Amino acid sequence: MLSYASVFASLHRAGWQRLGLLGLCVSLGLPLNTVHAQPATTRLPNLGDGAELPLGAERRLGESIAREIYRDPDYIDDPVLGDYLQSIWQVLLDSARQRGELTPELEQQFAWQVALIRDRSINAFALPGGYLGVHLGLISAVASPDELASVLAHELTHVTQRHIARMMAQQGRQGPMVVAAMILGMLAASRTPSASGMSAANAVMVGGSAAAMQSQLNFSRDMEREADRIGYGVMTGAGFEPQGFVTMFEKLQQAARLNDNGSFPYLRSHPMTNERIADAQVRQQLLPARPALALRAVHAMMAARAQVLTGPGVDALRAISAQGSASNLASAPVAKQAGALYGATMADMALREWASARQHMARLQALPNLDAPAAYAVRLLSTELALAMGDATQALGVIESKARVLAADDRAGHLLLAQSRLASKQVVQAKLASQDLMLWVNQRPRDALAWQLLASAYELQGDSLRAIRAQAEARAMELDYPAAVDRFKAAQELSRGLAREGRLDRAGHIEASIIDARLRQLENLRREQALER
Ligand SMILES: [Zn+2]
């Protein structure tokens, strides 16, 4: 849990007010650790020690921050939005790789994980070690994937250019845990008070402290310009429209003029300096005049999804639902209709207004000329609606008719298919789900949600040993090593009991030896985690 009280208590203990320097661009980030990585044998170095922070040390610093963010109730793993984000993020990574910004060494040592935060304010952030984060508010506010790509490419560049390490090397004398606490404090301060459960008074207090910290943690102006320049190259090299950079920049500039810091915490960590604005104008003048980007249906739907998932409250949900029923909606462009109807269906689901949800969904499904990604987003949502209404048979019917062609990287599709199978409560379906999920986690062992579903699939089959092990892996992937060790110990005990009773077959013995090995690895990781505190 990102506990504000504990973060600020530790900042106070560390006497951060007296620490100068240390810049971090932060906006924030999140992580998944590779549990299969070799356990590090050394503790985090003092940040001022080396000429430059070594890659491994920066990664571990990032993990120590990431594991706190993971426990935050506002961390959200939404596979549908996650896939959309990845569709942008992965091509940016490809582009950075081709341009030589992302070296093989950096790629291998850092996490390159982007996490979603349930907050309606506009923010994105890069943490040490290749952990990045995006507020849902940013996704709901941008008009195109190109605008989102311009922000992500900027943050990506802060990481690839080692801006974080450079600042720490130049200025840092603090221990890594102090730095981690400062970054967590900044992240806490960037959050919308109501969304993070803070009282208004606390928010003001945190805001004041944050301003003081921010002045110490900002990247330099040169680093910001470099992130703009190289990030622009990365995003356009990836095939995104340069106008996306321009229009996003204009949005930020306008918010800066209005001094809209509350809903744009991004501006606090990325101030709109005159130099950045001048650079952006030059880039814009070099662009050929082109018509504004047309709204794409899939983007409109994902923006609407992000908005509903911020949990805006009953009145706002009713307003979103009403937009889907507006009489003039039918005359709007199809993409806009798709966004409104998708958002309305989501809002109805949150309100548990099933009749209205069904109506909005039917109109969404009847929209003509949706492209393939948009049509697929509609299909996934109709599966979710059936599941939410408790109709597993229908959910399975909708998603399974597509199952044979689920793309290898279609996480939302695979996980929704598994959820639909589990909802049927049939052992035969649970078996299919566990087979599919085993293949999935073999390829992507860091997927905590997939491990959790796998645990449920084994439970339904009465296979307690594998269920407990899968629960243990889920905790481990969330970097909660003490909880993972507890679960692995429970699995070990169970396997020994079964062995004594002669009830462990050959496959069971193999499972038991995997559990023994994983328990030893996790105990090492838990020890290191405790040492770093
Ligand atoms: Zn920046």
PDB file of all heavy atoms in Angstrom, residues 250-270:
ATOM      1  N   GLU A 250       0.286  21.595 -27.222  1.00  0.00           N
ATOM      2  CA  GLU A 250      -0.639  22.730 -27.104  1.00  0.00           C
ATOM      3  C   GLU A 250      -1.567  22.555 -25.902  1.00  0.00           C
ATOM      4  O   GLU A 250      -1.854  23.514 -25.180  1.00  0.00           O
ATOM      5  CB  GLU A 250      -1.462  22.876 -28.394  1.00  0.00           C
ATOM      6  CG  GLU A 250      -0.653  23.484 -29.531  1.00  0.00           C
ATOM      7  CD  GLU A 250      -1.347  23.381 -30.888  1.00  0.00           C
ATOM      8  OE1 GLU A 250      -2.443  22.753 -30.957  1.00  0.00           O
ATOM      9  OE2 GLU A 250      -0.796  23.905 -31.861  1.00  0.00           O
ATOM     10  N   LYS A 251      -2.038  21.328 -25.713  1.00  0.00           N
ATOM     11  CA  LYS A 251      -2.913  21.057 -24.561  1.00  0.00           C
ATOM     12  C   LYS A 251      -2.195  21.398 -23.260  1.00  0.00           C
ATOM     13  O   LYS A 251      -2.758  22.026 -22.366  1.00  0.00           O
ATOM     14  CB  LYS A 251      -3.266  19.566 -24.518  1.00  0.00           C
ATOM     15  CG  LYS A 251      -4.477  19.177 -25.288  1.00  0.00           C
ATOM     16  CD  LYS A 251      -4.939  17.772 -24.867  1.00  0.00           C
ATOM     17  CE  LYS A 251      -6.195  17.414 -25.634  1.00  0.00           C
ATOM     18  NZ  LYS A 251      -6.001  16.430 -26.682  1.00  0.00           N
ATOM     19  N   LEU A 252      -0.959  20.943 -23.156  1.00  0.00           N
ATOM     20  CA  LEU A 252      -0.193  21.172 -21.922  1.00  0.00           C
ATOM     21  C   LEU A 252       0.079  22.667 -21.736  1.00  0.00           C
ATOM     22  O   LEU A 252      -0.004  23.200 -20.632  1.00  0.00           O
ATOM     23  CB  LEU A 252       1.124  20.392 -21.964  1.00  0.00           C
ATOM     24  CG  LEU A 252       0.973  18.865 -21.889  1.00  0.00           C
ATOM     25  CD1 LEU A 252       2.296  18.169 -22.187  1.00  0.00           C
ATOM     26  CD2 LEU A 252       0.451  18.435 -20.521  1.00  0.00           C
ATOM     27  N   GLN A 253       0.393  23.330 -22.858  1.00  0.00           N
ATOM     28  CA  GLN A 253       0.676  24.761 -22.780  1.00  0.00           C
ATOM     29  C   GLN A 253      -0.540  25.532 -22.303  1.00  0.00           C
ATOM     30  O   GLN A 253      -0.440  26.435 -21.481  1.00  0.00           O
ATOM     31  CB  GLN A 253       1.024  25.263 -24.184  1.00  0.00           C
ATOM     32  CG  GLN A 253       2.416  25.818 -24.301  1.00  0.00           C
ATOM     33  CD  GLN A 253       2.646  26.341 -25.698  1.00  0.00           C
ATOM     34  OE1 GLN A 253       2.602  25.575 -26.659  1.00  0.00           O
ATOM     35  NE2 GLN A 253       2.861  27.631 -25.812  1.00  0.00           N
ATOM     36  N   GLN A 254      -1.696  25.147 -22.841  1.00  0.00           N
ATOM     37  CA  GLN A 254      -2.919  25.841 -22.465  1.00  0.00           C
ATOM     38  C   GLN A 254      -3.208  25.628 -20.976  1.00  0.00           C
ATOM     39  O   GLN A 254      -3.553  26.571 -20.263  1.00  0.00           O
ATOM     40  CB  GLN A 254      -4.074  25.329 -23.311  1.00  0.00           C
ATOM     41  CG  GLN A 254      -5.293  26.227 -23.212  1.00  0.00           C
ATOM     42  CD  GLN A 254      -6.433  25.699 -24.063  1.00  0.00           C
ATOM     43  OE1 GLN A 254      -6.343  24.620 -24.652  1.00  0.00           O
ATOM     44  NE2 GLN A 254      -7.512  26.464 -24.109  1.00  0.00           N
ATOM     45  N   ALA A 255      -3.034  24.405 -20.513  1.00  0.00           N
ATOM     46  CA  ALA A 255      -3.260  24.128 -19.093  1.00  0.00           C
ATOM     47  C   ALA A 255      -2.262  24.906 -18.242  1.00  0.00           C
ATOM     48  O   ALA A 255      -2.595  25.387 -17.160  1.00  0.00           O
ATOM     49  CB  ALA A 255      -3.147  22.632 -18.832  1.00  0.00           C
ATOM     50  N   ALA A 256      -1.032  25.034 -18.736  1.00  0.00           N
ATOM     51  CA  ALA A 256      -0.023  25.775 -17.981  1.00  0.00           C
ATOM     52  C   ALA A 256      -0.419  27.238 -17.874  1.00  0.00           C
ATOM     53  O   ALA A 256      -0.250  27.875 -16.828  1.00  0.00           O
ATOM     54  CB  ALA A 256       1.340  25.636 -18.654  1.00  0.00           C
ATOM     55  N   ARG A 257      -0.972  27.793 -18.960  1.00  0.00           N
ATOM     56  CA  ARG A 257      -1.412  29.191 -18.934  1.00  0.00           C
ATOM     57  C   ARG A 257      -2.516  29.377 -17.910  1.00  0.00           C
ATOM     58  O   ARG A 257      -2.598  30.385 -17.242  1.00  0.00           O
ATOM     59  CB  ARG A 257      -1.904  29.623 -20.318  1.00  0.00           C
ATOM     60  CG  ARG A 257      -0.805  30.156 -21.221  1.00  0.00           C
ATOM     61  CD  ARG A 257      -1.396  30.969 -22.374  1.00  0.00           C
ATOM     62  NE  ARG A 257      -2.182  30.142 -23.271  1.00  0.00           N
ATOM     63  CZ  ARG A 257      -1.674  29.495 -24.326  1.00  0.00           C
ATOM     64  NH1 ARG A 257      -0.395  29.604 -24.612  1.00  0.00           N
ATOM     65  NH2 ARG A 257      -2.438  28.765 -25.090  1.00  0.00           N
ATOM     66  N   LEU A 258      -3.373  28.374 -17.801  1.00  0.00           N
ATOM     67  CA  LEU A 258      -4.480  28.467 -16.850  1.00  0.00           C
ATOM     68  C   LEU A 258      -4.022  28.099 -15.445  1.00  0.00           C
ATOM     69  O   LEU A 258      -4.805  28.101 -14.512  1.00  0.00           O
ATOM     70  CB  LEU A 258      -5.609  27.522 -17.277  1.00  0.00           C
ATOM     71  CG  LEU A 258      -6.258  27.843 -18.615  1.00  0.00           C
ATOM     72  CD1 LEU A 258      -7.201  26.714 -19.034  1.00  0.00           C
ATOM     73  CD2 LEU A 258      -7.008  29.165 -18.544  1.00  0.00           C
ATOM     74  N   ASN A 259      -2.743  27.738 -15.349  1.00  0.00           N
ATOM     75  CA  ASN A 259      -2.186  27.342 -14.055  1.00  0.00           C
ATOM     76  C   ASN A 259      -2.978  26.182 -13.460  1.00  0.00           C
ATOM     77  O   ASN A 259      -3.300  26.174 -12.274  1.00  0.00           O
ATOM     78  CB  ASN A 259      -2.203  28.549 -13.108  1.00  0.00           C
ATOM     79  CG  ASN A 259      -1.121  28.404 -12.060  1.00  0.00           C
ATOM     80  OD1 ASN A 259      -0.273  27.522 -12.175  1.00  0.00           O
ATOM     81  ND2 ASN A 259      -1.165  29.233 -11.043  1.00  0.00           N
ATOM     82  N   ASP A 260      -3.301  25.241 -14.318  1.00  0.00           N
ATOM     83  CA  ASP A 260      -4.183  24.148 -13.936  1.00  0.00           C
ATOM     84  C   ASP A 260      -3.382  22.981 -13.357  1.00  0.00           C
ATOM     85  O   ASP A 260      -3.399  21.869 -13.869  1.00  0.00           O
ATOM     86  CB  ASP A 260      -4.972  23.691 -15.170  1.00  0.00           C
ATOM     87  CG  ASP A 260      -6.119  22.770 -14.794  1.00  0.00           C
ATOM     88  OD1 ASP A 260      -6.326  22.543 -13.583  1.00  0.00           O
ATOM     89  OD2 ASP A 260      -6.796  22.278 -15.701  1.00  0.00           O
ATOM     90  N   ASN A 261      -2.672  23.245 -12.287  1.00  0.00           N
ATOM     91  CA  ASN A 261      -1.798  22.221 -11.729  1.00  0.00           C
ATOM     92  C   ASN A 261      -2.555  21.055 -11.114  1.00  0.00           C
ATOM     93  O   ASN A 261      -2.051  19.950 -11.053  1.00  0.00           O
ATOM     94  CB  ASN A 261      -0.905  22.835 -10.644  1.00  0.00           C
ATOM     95  CG  ASN A 261       0.426  23.253 -11.233  1.00  0.00           C
ATOM     96  OD1 ASN A 261       0.684  22.988 -12.400  1.00  0.00           O
ATOM     97  ND2 ASN A 261       1.235  23.891 -10.438  1.00  0.00           N
ATOM     98  N   GLY A 262      -3.765  21.344 -10.639  1.00  0.00           N
ATOM     99  CA  GLY A 262      -4.498  20.302  -9.934  1.00  0.00           C
ATOM    100  C   GLY A 262      -4.813  19.119 -10.819  1.00  0.00           C
ATOM    101  O   GLY A 262      -4.593  17.974 -10.454  1.00  0.00           O
ATOM    102  N   SER A 263      -5.337  19.407 -12.044  1.00  0.00           N
ATOM    103  CA  SER A 263      -5.695  18.291 -12.907  1.00  0.00           C
ATOM    104  C   SER A 263      -4.550  17.900 -13.844  1.00  0.00           C
ATOM    105  O   SER A 263      -4.653  16.920 -14.555  1.00  0.00           O
ATOM    106  CB  SER A 263      -6.952  18.629 -13.707  1.00  0.00           C
ATOM    107  OG  SER A 263      -6.826  19.884 -14.305  1.00  0.00           O
ATOM    108  N   PHE A 264      -3.476  18.665 -13.842  1.00  0.00           N
ATOM    109  CA  PHE A 264      -2.308  18.352 -14.685  1.00  0.00           C
ATOM    110  C   PHE A 264      -1.044  18.230 -13.842  1.00  0.00           C
ATOM    111  O   PHE A 264      -0.102  19.016 -14.002  1.00  0.00           O
ATOM    112  CB  PHE A 264      -2.075  19.453 -15.740  1.00  0.00           C
ATOM    113  CG  PHE A 264      -2.962  19.370 -16.941  1.00  0.00           C
ATOM    114  CD1 PHE A 264      -4.303  19.708 -16.851  1.00  0.00           C
ATOM    115  CD2 PHE A 264      -2.457  18.968 -18.172  1.00  0.00           C
ATOM    116  CE1 PHE A 264      -5.130  19.649 -17.968  1.00  0.00           C
ATOM    117  CE2 PHE A 264      -3.281  18.912 -19.296  1.00  0.00           C
ATOM    118  CZ  PHE A 264      -4.613  19.248 -19.189  1.00  0.00           C
ATOM    119  N   PRO A 265      -0.973  17.252 -12.941  1.00  0.00           N
ATOM    120  CA  PRO A 265       0.274  17.110 -12.182  1.00  0.00           C
ATOM    121  C   PRO A 265       1.482  16.921 -13.107  1.00  0.00           C
ATOM    122  O   PRO A 265       2.614  17.190 -12.715  1.00  0.00           O
ATOM    123  CB  PRO A 265       0.043  15.875 -11.307  1.00  0.00           C
ATOM    124  CG  PRO A 265      -1.190  15.236 -11.804  1.00  0.00           C
ATOM    125  CD  PRO A 265      -1.964  16.254 -12.557  1.00  0.00           C
ATOM    126  N   TYR A 266       1.227  16.511 -14.335  1.00  0.00           N
ATOM    127  CA  TYR A 266       2.319  16.335 -15.300  1.00  0.00           C
ATOM    128  C   TYR A 266       3.103  17.634 -15.474  1.00  0.00           C
ATOM    129  O   TYR A 266       4.315  17.613 -15.699  1.00  0.00           O
ATOM    130  CB  TYR A 266       1.735  15.892 -16.642  1.00  0.00           C
ATOM    131  CG  TYR A 266       2.766  15.399 -17.621  1.00  0.00           C
ATOM    132  CD1 TYR A 266       3.368  14.165 -17.451  1.00  0.00           C
ATOM    133  CD2 TYR A 266       3.146  16.173 -18.719  1.00  0.00           C
ATOM    134  CE1 TYR A 266       4.316  13.699 -18.343  1.00  0.00           C
ATOM    135  CE2 TYR A 266       4.088  15.711 -19.617  1.00  0.00           C
ATOM    136  CZ  TYR A 266       4.674  14.473 -19.428  1.00  0.00           C
ATOM    137  OH  TYR A 266       5.613  14.024 -20.305  1.00  0.00           O
ATOM    138  N   LEU A 267       2.386  18.746 -15.372  1.00  0.00           N
ATOM    139  CA  LEU A 267       3.055  20.036 -15.584  1.00  0.00           C
ATOM    140  C   LEU A 267       4.024  20.371 -14.463  1.00  0.00           C
ATOM    141  O   LEU A 267       4.983  21.114 -14.654  1.00  0.00           O
ATOM    142  CB  LEU A 267       2.013  21.160 -15.693  1.00  0.00           C
ATOM    143  CG  LEU A 267       1.203  21.151 -16.981  1.00  0.00           C
ATOM    144  CD1 LEU A 267       0.053  22.145 -16.873  1.00  0.00           C
ATOM    145  CD2 LEU A 267       2.101  21.473 -18.166  1.00  0.00           C
ATOM    146  N   ARG A 268       3.783  19.816 -13.270  1.00  0.00           N
ATOM    147  CA  ARG A 268       4.702  20.111 -12.175  1.00  0.00           C
ATOM    148  C   ARG A 268       6.059  19.451 -12.408  1.00  0.00           C
ATOM    149  O   ARG A 268       7.094  20.001 -12.075  1.00  0.00           O
ATOM    150  CB  ARG A 268       4.107  19.635 -10.842  1.00  0.00           C
ATOM    151  CG  ARG A 268       2.903  20.459 -10.404  1.00  0.00           C
ATOM    152  CD  ARG A 268       2.679  20.338  -8.906  1.00  0.00           C
ATOM    153  NE  ARG A 268       2.258  19.007  -8.509  1.00  0.00           N
ATOM    154  CZ  ARG A 268       0.985  18.645  -8.341  1.00  0.00           C
ATOM    155  NH1 ARG A 268       0.019  19.522  -8.537  1.00  0.00           N
ATOM    156  NH2 ARG A 268       0.685  17.424  -7.974  1.00  0.00           N
ATOM    157  N   SER A 269       6.023  18.256 -12.979  1.00  0.00           N
ATOM    158  CA  SER A 269       7.291  17.566 -13.214  1.00  0.00           C
ATOM    159  C   SER A 269       7.872  17.890 -14.588  1.00  0.00           C
ATOM    160  O   SER A 269       9.025  17.596 -14.855  1.00  0.00           O
ATOM    161  CB  SER A 269       7.099  16.056 -13.047  1.00  0.00           C
ATOM    162  OG  SER A 269       6.035  15.598 -13.839  1.00  0.00           O
ATOM    163  N   HIS A 270       7.054  18.458 -15.473  1.00  0.00           N
ATOM    164  CA  HIS A 270       7.543  18.816 -16.812  1.00  0.00           C
ATOM    165  C   HIS A 270       7.134  20.239 -17.139  1.00  0.00           C
ATOM    166  O   HIS A 270       6.258  20.460 -17.977  1.00  0.00           O
ATOM    167  CB  HIS A 270       6.962  17.882 -17.883  1.00  0.00           C
ATOM    168  CG  HIS A 270       7.286  16.450 -17.670  1.00  0.00           C
ATOM    169  ND1 HIS A 270       6.678  15.690 -16.711  1.00  0.00           N
ATOM    170  CD2 HIS A 270       8.170  15.637 -18.276  1.00  0.00           C
ATOM    171  CE1 HIS A 270       7.175  14.464 -16.750  1.00  0.00           C
ATOM    172  NE2 HIS A 270       8.082  14.410 -17.679  1.00  0.00           N
TER     173      HIS A 270
END
